[in-house]
Amino acid sequence: MLNTPTEILIVEDEPDLASLIADYAHASGYQSTIIGDGQVALAQVRQKRPDLIVLDLMLPGLDGISLCRAVRTFSQVPIIMVTAKVEEIDRLLGLEIGADDYLCKPFSPRELMARIKVILRRVSNTVPNNRYSDQAINRESEQSDLVRIDHAAYQIYLDQQLLELTRSEFLLLEHFIQHPGQVFSRAQLLNFVAQDSLDVTDRAIDSHIKNIRKKIAQIRADDNPIHAIYGLGYRFDGFNHSKIN
């Protein structure tokens, strides 16, 4: 069976930067397509299903935030968001737009390729369908009376209701559920979720966990299974089985 070449969609309206990224992608063994308009890029994602998207924040046609949110309605393709300011990263995390990583301009193309490699390797270990279609078959899942984890779809159901999680939030909550009662430091969680993502800080973990708690509370208002352990990190104590909707 022939391997399908890895396709990187570069959504960037600065031609010189887009061409530079494409050159490095080609040197790294990836195919790439460059699009400088957000609306055109959205149509491309629907039609071609790339393996990863490098997405600029400021775009004509449709901005990066709106494009990322639109893509997340039908695909879990990895997205690396590129911003012009470090301060934007915290704001984007708070908006829960669903990107997997954030990189601030100016950046090293080698660093971008390293992040792409890390994300694709991580995804390839968990997703059987390399186009991330929501119609993927043979999905592995874990189930209990309260929780169902669909690893291929990056989805977790609580009380048979879908938790609307970003990829990073999914990875964190999945990790917690699989290790109940174990304390993890912020550095451990950061390494697990972000790995080589150097621009992501401890504050990102706090933000992700805050968002996870909020989304759990939408289904189980009084259930808070993730606890902060002073000076150490966070611990998942499991969901309260006595809760009812």
Side-chain angles (χ1 to χ4, degrees):
M1 181 176 179
L2 295 177
N3 291 326
T4 303
T6 299
E7 177 70 26
I8 307 297
L9 176 60
I10 302 166
V11 188
E12 170 62 63
D13 64 339
E14 295 182 28
D16 290 344
L17 177 57
S19 296
L20 180 63
I21 295 172
D23 288 344
Y24 271 82
H26 182 265
S28 300
Y30 306 130
Q31 292 187 352
S32 64
T33 300
I34 298 173
I35 296 178
D37 181 279
Q39 199 68 52
V40 176
L42 180 58
Q44 177 79 359
V45 176
R46 290 185 183 277
Q47 181 180 3
K48 299 294 186 179
R49 299 281 177 159
D51 293 286
L52 184 141
I53 302 172
V54 177
L55 177 60
D56 189 28
L57 180 62
M58 302 301 295
L59 293 167
L62 188 68
D63 66 85
I65 292 176
S66 299
L67 176 54
C68 187
R69 284 175 168 163
V71 169
R72 282 292 174 257
T73 65
F74 64 88
S75 174
Q76 289 298 314
V77 57
I79 297 174
I80 298 179
M81 180 75 75
V82 177
T83 75
K85 300 178 181 178
V86 173
E87 308 84 63
E88 286 288 334
I89 295 176
D90 284 336
R91 184 176 75 86
L92 292 170
L93 284 167
L95 289 174
E96 305 175 47
I97 62 174
D100 298 274
D101 200 356
Y102 301 90
L103 196 58
C104 186
K105 296 178 181 180
F107 56 83
S108 164
R110 288 190 177 88
E111 180 182 353
L112 175 59
M113 292 304 115
R115 296 189 186 203
I116 289 173
K117 182 178 180 180
V118 166
I119 291 175
L120 290 176
R121 183 173 65 240
R122 186 171 66 213
V123 169
S124 68
N125 290 333
T126 56
V127 181
N129 185 323
N130 70 344
R131 296 305 180 195
Y132 312 103
S133 168
D134 290 338
Q135 303 302 317
I137 60 175
N138 296 326
R139 290 172 175 166
E140 296 182 1
S141 63
E142 296 181 4
Q143 299 190 50
S144 71
D145 292 339
L146 295 177
V147 180
R148 180 168 68 87
I149 302 176
D150 189 333
H151 300 282
Y154 283 81
Q155 292 177 339
I156 297 178
Y157 292 82
L158 177 60
D159 289 337
Q160 300 183 347
Q161 298 181 57
L162 176 64
L163 287 166
E164 297 287 349
L165 304 172
T166 67
R167 183 184 296 270
S168 293
E169 292 164 4
F170 169 86
L171 291 171
L172 278 174
L173 185 54
E174 176 195 42
H175 190 65
F176 277 130
I177 291 172
Q178 293 174 342
H179 300 86
Q182 186 172 342
V183 177
F184 293 97
S185 68
R186 288 175 175 83
Q188 287 175 313
L189 295 173
L190 183 65
N191 182 64
F192 174 73
V193 172
Q195 298 191 28
D196 290 343
S197 301
L198 303 179
D199 284 342
V200 182
T201 67
D202 287 357
R203 295 194 307 276
I205 294 299
D206 294 336
S207 178
H208 287 318
I209 290 178
K210 178 181 177 181
N211 291 335
I212 292 171
R213 285 169 167 166
K214 181 171 64 176
K215 293 172 182 181
I216 290 173
Q218 291 173 354
I219 297 175
R220 298 179 140 236
D222 299 322
D223 204 349
N224 179 23
I226 303 175
H227 299 281
I229 309 301
Y230 182 76
L232 296 176
Y234 291 97
R235 183 185 68 224
F236 178 81
D237 289 336
F239 296 102
N240 188 338
H241 282 254
S242 66
K243 296 287 181 183
I244 57 174
N245 292 333

